[in-house]
Every structure is written in structure tokens, then in C-alpha cells.
């Protein structure tokens, strides 16, 4: 297997300047650590807990920024799409189209994403079993696109809580698709703050090292230079200043893991 | 409180003729039992487990049928919408726009549905707590539409299973919105048959009588003249021939329940 | 089926006088309502959340009080046992030996209870499926005692919360054993107050009416003349003053339910 | 922190000869790998799914074998106790008394175990949150025994399934007690085979490497020379022949983990 990669960036695109700064900082960190980086940020947070939650700069303003990040830093870019019609235009400026967990069974969205030819990263719904993702994967591959990533981001566990079932990582890997572990949203507490989701940032490194020890293609970690003042997912974003140490450690676990792949049978 | 109403019909619109027959049969049953009826059917099953699952006749073909059912039988009609752009045209031919459970946090869809002025029935996501629906409700009412129904349809409980937490009914009712209990999808076993969802039809009456005894505005029951050959949700649809007896019984429980309303404090 | 019965009393025996007063008051209420009563109280709370939680008067002091309640009020008495050696002596003074949920798989305790010849009421563990209780039932019946009750009291649902899966009632009834619904412990929030369990007393009537509407042999409700000052389970005990109205209402639901039994196939 | 230790052995003591053979084999493996070993086996399986499941040789026959293993191989021995009266005699021949998960809140059992002065290993109930174990720990320490281990073995997740919440490991470690991860019972499927529990042996190494990467005091793995013919827990025991490679790998992950301890704040 290939060495661990990282998908990282701020939860939402707050402004062109902030996005560029974050991309530059992450590029520097990833090169220092020696780990492949995909830059992630969202142009629209389409399913905020509350109607008054900030949603990001929007598709129109985000598109030139995605293009600029790709060109300026040579970084592959990932962003999420919410309706079928967004897939084609967004695919012109990013490398990976991400299907949000709530939408992972929306057939039209999956097909539209597949048809762009871009890599499609599907997040596993909080309401699905790991083995259910085989059907989701087929919706994309049967639409002619073999480049699919599957992302674990926690399963519903009672109310306002998620749990990560680590068995899901090798189960999803058995489909043949590279598996990503989203350490940021796995520690989310959906709706846990009344009109916003809570989160447990302190468990991001805990779950990330566990997942990496099992052997995964990549880890997804949202990060911010000032998470406590970020407009969304602040409680579960890792401060930018901690990323280098975290990635360095994950790389060490990955080396042991990749030299000793899990065999389910 | 008003007496119990019923939202019923076949899971998906299979053809004009079948939809009309089902509407006629249900109208006759509801009049005999003396219970208010809303006719439900879907023009598109947009999130089937498998890409090869049948999806229904589609929006274009369904629209004149919805109009015909309304006019011919004088029945209010409910159908579900999946993308914001569908809301306005669909609202011209139906009375209630339903937001599917997976999509209950998609802000744009909620706002677009709200703006049509139609009644909006939001199904509670399998990944949400009952109290989380207050935020969902606000997304619709702050968009200027006070006519919202909230529907319980089960919560994720381990893999490929749902559980109905009956406490959720009065908790959601405390928002002021009428609460519907979807007895059909609460007994679904998501993804339980590999490439399709399973279901436990025999528990529809069990959960329905429990919910009605607590005191709810309405019950949602999908029904079919030949459920074992229906293209979707067959395992959890009630045979049409059993509906009269079931509704008659639910009405008796409702009379006791409405005369003795639950008070949470 | 027989009409609904009620198992009621204070969570723990606090003193002879309090137990007698509660038994007298409940006897009067049950006769007024016309519902069969079993008096329940515990001589030892053997699994309190905290080591400093009050545990009750103990076996030695409780035994004459159980005998006195049986004789004086002609009431059948139920109490719970925790180790095999307690079964024989306790069975001399009570009619029903109850196996606590945490202990429902302890083979020696089940056999010892069975061998006394007393009725055995086994509470379903929070960690078991309804169908798992068939094996538990067999442990008692194969020990020569056919008089077994099975009690639903909620299933683990995330942390510090239980959920009642109403499907479990007819599933357990299919074993042939009478099924009891414990409305008190089903609304417990285990460990929810740090060093004590919390509870949601307001949902006792909600869940009780739902369960009774499905059709059960009996309902289990802990009650107290001053629940807020009770030494255990205060947050989920129903005030004694509310019992008459509650039982009257449950009886009405039971009449409809028993006239229309659930058939699972 | 100290290097990872291992608690290993066959689920139940089948005979003196088998126990001695397993102890000898595990001692050899642990010395080769360089990892501290505690030998584990049960004299009584007191909560089998079915009354006809084999329960082990019993306390009387097991006691001299425990003593022989300690003396002959110089290995510390762990076994589980089920009633308070067993603690004192068993503590004479073993080093660690283990409290089964179902019994982890039985105050008398915890106190009796504590008073022996032996190390007490309490398994977290499938129905408890990690933070609930602080109260359990206090029951032992306030009884005068500071030598307590806390073991994670999965939480109830729907029916007949457990899930391991890896966040629980550092949460329990924050109490100050060494934390053990029981990889064997975490992959159990309680009651999953009708009259016996199922299991997913293939996930033992998966979960073990994840837990070890987080940083734990020890890992608990049941093993057998012929698991498919073992009288209990066969489906989740690791074949003896795979133990050396597994422990060697876990040791490598432990070295990275212990050099980089998790900090929750």
C-alpha cells in the first residue's frame, strides 16, 4: 500500500485570503513532514444545525479561489457538493468531489459526481453500516468512474453522539476502494450545543492514531489557525500549530501499519 | 386536539392507473372508518439502496396524476422532494411537501419548500434526537411558513436496524407542530437485504397502536394491494385489505388518547 | 388474555412503617380502580451507582415485613434477589422472586430462583435483544419451574440513556411467558447524575400507555409518597397521588388492547 | 508508562493438562517476544447464553491448577469471580481477581474482591459509559484496595453487537487506573448464534493494534490451540499459533505509542 496521505484544511472557506494562507501553511507542514496533502475547504455548509449558522462564501466566489490554490501551490483540492447541478462546474476547479454523509445515498448526486471524471470521496452516512457502502460505491463505479474514496466519519450512537467502529475501516477497504478516516467529524457531537454541533477536539489525535495503526489510505483532519473563533466545526478542528507534530506521529504509526497489513481472512 | 388523521398510499407511483385505484380504495376505507385521509405516493425514490432499484415514474409524469387525484377524489396529496428546484413545481399539484429523513438538515431544500406556502412535513433524520427537530422546524418557520408537520420514523440503533423512541413524540409535539408517526419506515431494516432494505410489516400495527395511544396528530402507513410484488418498501407495506381493520382499531385508541392528553410537566 | 395487572411499590424498603403505609395505600387504589396488584419493594439495592448510595434495610430486617404485608393486606409480594443463596429464604416470605437486569444471565441465580417454586420475574438486560430472553427463560423452565414472567426495562442506547423498543413486547410474549413492562426503569438515565442515576418521571405514563396499548400482562411502576426525597430512583418514581388516575387510564387502554390482540403473523 | 503487558489464556479451564500446556506455550511465546504475561483462564462460565453451555471444571478442581501454574511457571494468574463468597478462597491461588462486565456494579462483589488485597480487574459493563467507571473504581479503592485495573470490552450497539469506542481508553486512564483492552470480548456477538454467542476472530488484531496505538497498559487476548473446538468463545479466540506474530507487532506499535503519550488536555 501507498504511504498515508492527508486531507486537511479549514472547515469552510471564509475568505480568499484565509484560504490561501491556510493552504500555504499546510503545504509547508506537509513537505516538512513528508506526507502527501490534499487541501480541503467547503464553499457552502448546506446542512448547518441552525438556520443562522454561517454557510461560507458560496460557489461563485469560491471557484476562482480553488483554481488559484491548485495553480499557485500545486495542491490537489477537495470540496463537497450538495446538489447534482453543482458537480460539473465544481469539478472544473477541484480534483476531488466529496459527497456529504447525509447525502451518501442520493443516487442523482452520486451519478452526477461520477460523470465529471473527478475522484469522488463518499462519506459514510452516520446511519449506515460499513458493508452498506459497497452499494454506494457501485452507484459511482457503474456510472463509469472507478476513482472512489470511502470515508469513515462515525456512526450514530444514541443521541447527539457518534462512535467510531474501527472494524469499518478494513470492511470498507475490502471493496478495493482507498479508505479515509475523518478524525474531525468522528468526534463531532451533532446538535450537542443546542443550535450548533459540539465536538471533542482532544480526541482527534486519539482516533487518528488508532485508525492509522489499522492501515488506511489517508486521514482527514480539519484545521484552523484560530479554531475557537471559526464559523463552523471550531470545537473539533485541530489548531494549525499542532498539525506538524500530529502528522509526524501518524507517519510513524503508518510505517509500522503498512509494513504489517491487516488481513481479514 | 383534533382526531387522528392518516397519511397513506403506495410507496412509489408505479403508474397512473395504479395510483388512481389506490387513491379510490383508500378514500372509500377512510370514509367508512371516519378518519381524515391524505394520499401519499412518491414520484422518485431518490436514495434507493442499490443503483438498480426502481425509482418511480418521475416528476414529469407524476404531476398530472397528482392533480387528477386531488380533483377527482377531493383528497389532499403528499409527496416528497429531493432538490430545492423541485419544490415550486411540485407544490402546484400537491398539498404537502415532504422532506425525506436523510435531507432534513439541507437548509436550501427546507427554505425552498417553506417558500411555496404548502404544508411542509419534515421527517426526523435517523441520526437526530427528537429535540434536534426544533432547529429544523425553525428553518421552515423563519422562512415564513408556519405550517409544518414533524414525522418520527425511527432512529439508528446499531447496524441495519432502527428503533422507535416513543418519548420523541411528545418531545416533538412540545414545539407546537403536529406530530406524525411513520409506522412504515420505523420498521424498515435499512440495507438489511444486501442490495435492498428489509422490513418487518408485522410490527406496523404494533408500533402504530403504541404511538396513537400516546396521542399524535396522524399516522403514516404505506399500503399496497400486492406488497410482496411492490417495487420498493414491499416488506414493510401493509396489505390494502388489512387497512380498514387497522384504522378502525387505531381510531378507538385515539379516542382514549385524545380524551387524556399527555402532559410532560 | 387476562386483564392488566400492576406491580407497584417504593423502590427500596426504607422502614417497616413506610412499607406498610405504601402497601395499604396501593391496595386501596388498586381496589378502587379494579386492577390486580403485586406489591414490590427491594430489601437491598445491590448495584447502586456509587458506593455511598443507600441500599435498604437488608434481608434480615425485610423478611418479617414481607410476611406482614402478605398476611395483613392479602397482597402478593415481589422482591429482587442478587445471589443464589438468597433465593430459598426470600421465597418463604414473597410470591415472586425478581432477577435484576444486570444478573439475567447468571445461571446459578436463575436455577436457584427456579428451584424455590416461586414465580420468577426476569428483567431483560439492557445489553440483550428481546429474542435473547428465550434462552434465559429456558434456564428457569428447564430447572422445573414453568412460572416465569419476562420484564422489559429498556435497552442501552448510546451512553447514560436507555430506549424502549416496543417491538420487544410481542417478541417476548411469543415465548408464552407473560410480559411485564417496567415503566420506571425504562426512563432511567443510568449514571446520568454523576454519582447517581437520573430519570425522567414525566415519561412513565407516556411509555406505559404505549406498552399497554400493545397488550401486556402487567405494568411495573415504582411509586412513592415523596419521590424527590426517596433514597433511590426518586427521579423516575411516580408520586403516589398520581397513581389512581394513571391506572384508571391504563385500564381503559388495556380494554381496547385485550379485545384486539396483536398477532405477529 | 510501562511497556505493554499481555493477559492471555484459554477462555475456560478445560482440564489440568490443557491449562498447563497453554500456560507453558504462552510463557515461551511471551519470553521470545519480550512482553510481560499474565495467564488467564476461568474456572466457571457463570453466564453462558444457554443452560446447556459448558461451564468449566469448577472452583474446587481449578484451585490446585491455578496454584500449580503460578509455582511451576512463575506466572501471575488471573481468573474471574461471580459471587462475593468466592473472592477470599480464589485470591489465595491467583494474583488478579476479575469482575465480569455484567457484574461490574455489584457492590458486594467489588468490596469482597477489594478486601482480599489481590489486584482487581473490573471489566466495563456493556451498558456503561467510560466515565461511569470512576464510580466503580471508587467502590474498590474506598474498600482499601488501590490496585485496580479497568478493562474495556465493548459497548452495546443495537442488538447482538458490540462496538468499541476507542475514546473510552484515555477517558478511563484519566482515573489513574491502568487500562486493559480486551480484544477478545470486544469482537463478541452476544447471543448472535441463537443459543451461543458468535464472534469475529478476524477483528481481534484490528482492534488490538488500534487500542495499543492509543497507549494502554495491557491487552487481553483469549487464545486456544484449537479454537474451533473450544467449549466457549471459540469464534473469538485467536489460534495459539498466531500469537507470537501478533504480540511482536503490538509491541512495535506500543513503542511508538509510549514514546508519544496521549494528552487529553
Amino acid at each position: 500500500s501507498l504511504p498515508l496521505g492527508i486531507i486537511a484544511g479549514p472547515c469552510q472557506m471564509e475568505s480568499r485570503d484565509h484560504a490561501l494562507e491556510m493552504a500555504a501553511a499546510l503545504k509547508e507542514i506537509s513537505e516538512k513532514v513528508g506526507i502527501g496533502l490534499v487541501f480541503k475547504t467547503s464553499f457552502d455548509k448546506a446542512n448547518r444545525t441552525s438556520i443562522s449558522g454561517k454557510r461560507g462564501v458560496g460557489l461563485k466566489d469560491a471557484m476562482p479561489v480553488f483554481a488559484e490554490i491548485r495553480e499557485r501551490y500545486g495542491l490537489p483540492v477537495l470540496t463537497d457538493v450538495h446538489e447534482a447541478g453543482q458537480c460539473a462546474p465544481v469539478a472544473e476547479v477541484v480534483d476531488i468531489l466529496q459527497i456529504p454523509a447525509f447525502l451518501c445515498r442520493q443516487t442523482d448526486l452520486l451519478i452526477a459526481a461520477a460523470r465529471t471524471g473527478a475522484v469522488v470521496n463518499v462519506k459514510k452516512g452516520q446511519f449506515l453500516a460499513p458493508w452498506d457502502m459497497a452499494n454506494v460505491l457501485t452507484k459511482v463505479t457503474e456510472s463509469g468512474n472507478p476513482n472512489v474514496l470511502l470515508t469513515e466519519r462515525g456512526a450514530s450512537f444514541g443521541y447527539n453522539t457518534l462512535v467510531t467502529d474501527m472494524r469499518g475501516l478494513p470492511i470498507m477497504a475490502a471493496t478495493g476502494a482507498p479508505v479515509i478516516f475523518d478524525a474531525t467529524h468522528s468526534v463531532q457531537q451533532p446538535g450537542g450545543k443546542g443550535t450548533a454541533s459540539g465536538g471533542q477536539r482532544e480526541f482527534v489525535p486519539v482516533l487518528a492514531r488508532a485508525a492509522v495503526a489499522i492501515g488506511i489510505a489517508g486521514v482527514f483532519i480539519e484545521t484552523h489557525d484560530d479554531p475557537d473563533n471559526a464559523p463552523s466545526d471550531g470545537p473539533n478542528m485541530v489548531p494549525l500549530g499542532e498539525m506538524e507534530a500530529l502528522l509526524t506521529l501518524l507517519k510513524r504509526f503508518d510505517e509500522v501499519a503498512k509494513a504489517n497489513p491487516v488481513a481479514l481472512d
Side-chain angles (χ1 to χ4, degrees), chain A residues 1-3 212-216 251-262:
Chain A
S1 307
L2 295 171
V212 169
I214 292 170
I216 51 176
K251 214 187 154 190
R252 290 199 54 197
F253 281 114
D254 184 58
E255 285 157 5
V256 183
K258 293 287 161 62
N260 299 277
V262 161

Side-chain angles (χ1 to χ4, degrees), chain A residues 130-142:
Chain A
W131 44 86
D132 294 334
M133 291 301 283
N135 285 314
V136 169
L137 176 63
T138 303
K139 288 187 183 181
V140 183
T141 55
E142 291 205 354

Side-chain angles (χ1 to χ4, degrees), chain A residues 16-260:
Chain A
R16 172 186 168 278
D17 287 357
H18 186 257
L20 291 177
E21 280 165 32
M22 290 294 299
L26 284 165
K27 183 183 162 78
E28 192 185 325
I29 291 167
S30 68
E31 286 175 350
K32 202 160 157 195
V33 175
I35 191 169
L37 169 69
V38 173
F39 183 73
K40 183 266 166 182
T41 193
S42 295
F43 60 84
D44 182 20
K45 307 307 296 177
N47 59 27
R48 296 300 304 265
T49 301
S50 162
I51 194 170
S52 52
K54 275 201 189 167
R55 295 185 50 171
V57 300
L59 177 54
K60 196 165 145 270
D61 287 354
M63 285 188 49
V65 185
F66 288 134
E68 189 174 354
I69 290 168
R70 280 220 286 198
E71 201 170 326
R72 194 154 163 169
Y73 303 111
L75 290 176
V77 171
L78 172 152
T79 201
D80 42 347
V81 287
H82 316 282
E83 293 212 340
Q86 295 172 339
C87 295
V90 172
E92 285 173 32
V93 288
V94 308
D95 304 86
I96 306 181
L97 293 178
Q98 180 167 286
I99 309 296
F102 292 159
L103 305 181
C104 74
R105 294 246 312 228
Q106 301 301 314
T107 308
D108 288 341
L109 181 61
L110 290 162
I111 293 175
R115 288 193 179 150
T116 64
V119 176
V120 180
N121 178 28
V122 193
K123 291 200 168 184
K124 180 166 71 66
Q126 299 88 335
F127 43 84
L128 285 187
W131 44 86
D132 294 334
M133 291 301 283
N135 285 314
V136 169
L137 176 63
T138 303
K139 288 187 183 181
V140 183
T141 55
E142 291 205 354
S143 302
N145 188 335
N147 301 120
V148 189
L149 310 175
L150 299 179
T151 294
E152 168 64 42
R153 50 92 77 232
S156 287
F157 182 61
Y159 292 137
N160 303 308
T161 320
L162 301 169
V163 69
T164 302
D165 181 357
M166 293 287 168
R167 292 172 300 189
L169 301 173
I171 290 172
M172 291 200 292
T175 64
V179 171
I180 309 295
F181 176 64
D182 175 349
T184 298
H185 294 93
S186 294
V187 303
Q188 206 179 32
Q189 297 177 308
K193 295 176 78 174
T195 56
S197 289
Q200 300 177 303
R201 184 189 301 157
E202 67 273 26
F203 289 111
V204 168
V206 173
L207 295 185
R209 50 204 277 175
V212 169
I214 292 170
I216 51 176
V219 63
F220 176 115
I221 300 177
E222 289 184 353
T223 179
H224 199 277
D225 50 335
D226 184 12
D228 292 334
N229 292 302
S232 53
D233 271 327
N236 37 339
M237 278 199 283
V238 169
L240 185 62
E242 300 177 8
M243 286 294 280
E244 182 182 330
L246 175 56
L247 296 180
T248 303
L249 176 57
L250 294 181
K251 214 187 154 190
R252 290 199 54 197
F253 281 114
D254 184 58
E255 285 157 5
V256 183
K258 293 287 161 62
N260 299 277

